[in-house]
Amino acid sequence: MPEDESSRSSHSNPGKSLVNGIKTNPASSSPKSSLSVPLGPPVYVDLAYIPNHCSGKNTDPEFFKRVRASYYVVSGNDAANGEPSRAVLDALLEGKSQWGENLQVTLIPTHDTEVTREWYQQTHEKQQELNIMVLASSSTVVMQDESFPACKIEF
């Protein structure tokens, strides 16, 4: 049985490769590429640290759609560098709203900042609707028979 044309062309052109069944050019496979490649199912974890001290440089709604945690740690405490970022906190609301299931989520800020206080007050109704609870930075966290102040959840 002869090989079909598409199969032959993908093997005979070493400059092209397959990513999730889609032909790509290695030069265009950078994250900034316009090629839309499905990333797969979401990942469920107990505890997730919001990357880069909750800076908007690395975290967007897609992070919260893909990384579904029972607890998210917000450790930013540098207003001059936009940490924590209001945009990231808003991205949590946007991402969580697309989960399709109303799982309880707890946000653990490790510092009491103006950004987190304002966000909490301005979006409190949406947080309740999405089943998101925000701990005070002075809260105590109990995990696996151990308790400690929330501010100690630094990485």
Side-chain angles (χ1 to χ4, degrees):
M1 183 170 188
E3 211 177 353
D4 72 281
E5 186 64 32
S6 66
S7 171
R8 249 195 329 264
S9 66
S10 67
H11 291 297
S12 64
N13 187 350
K16 300 236 182 215
S17 62
L18 291 177
V19 176
N20 290 338
I22 300 171
K23 285 185 186 179
T24 63
N25 184 336
S28 69
S29 62
S30 72
K32 300 209 184 269
S33 163
S34 63
L35 178 63
S36 176
V37 178
L39 297 174
V43 176
Y44 292 85
V45 296
D46 291 326
L47 179 72
Y49 178 85
I50 299 177
N52 202 23
H53 304 288
C54 198
S55 166
K57 297 172 190 166
N58 302 86
T59 309
D60 61 7
E62 193 63 31
F63 173 81
F64 296 105
K65 290 180 206 171
R66 300 287 179 191
V67 179
R68 299 181 181 185
S70 298
Y71 299 88
Y72 289 102
V73 177
V74 176
S75 72
N77 191 25
D78 186 358
N81 283 319
E83 300 169 2
S85 166
R86 169 68 188 249
V88 172
L89 297 172
D90 289 339
L92 167 63
L93 297 176
E94 183 181 334
K96 173 85 166 62
S97 71
Q98 296 181 32
W99 286 12
E101 51 195 333
N102 199 13
L103 300 174
Q104 170 73 44
V105 167
T106 302
L107 193 66
I108 306 170
T110 61
H111 297 88
D112 183 20
T113 67
E114 187 69 28
V115 170
T116 53
R117 271 184 270 130
E118 284 181 4
W119 176 81
Y120 176 81
Q121 292 170 354
Q122 294 170 0
T123 65
H124 187 71
E125 193 172 299
K126 183 73 171 174
Q127 294 165 39
Q128 289 180 319
E129 177 185 314
L130 293 172
N131 204 15
I132 296 173
M133 180 176 66
V134 180
L135 295 181
S137 60
S138 60
S139 295
T140 299
V141 175
V142 178
M143 295 182 88
Q144 296 182 349
D145 301 325
E146 183 180 349
S147 65
F148 45 87
C151 64
K152 296 290 182 184
I153 306 179
E154 287 285 346
F155 293 90

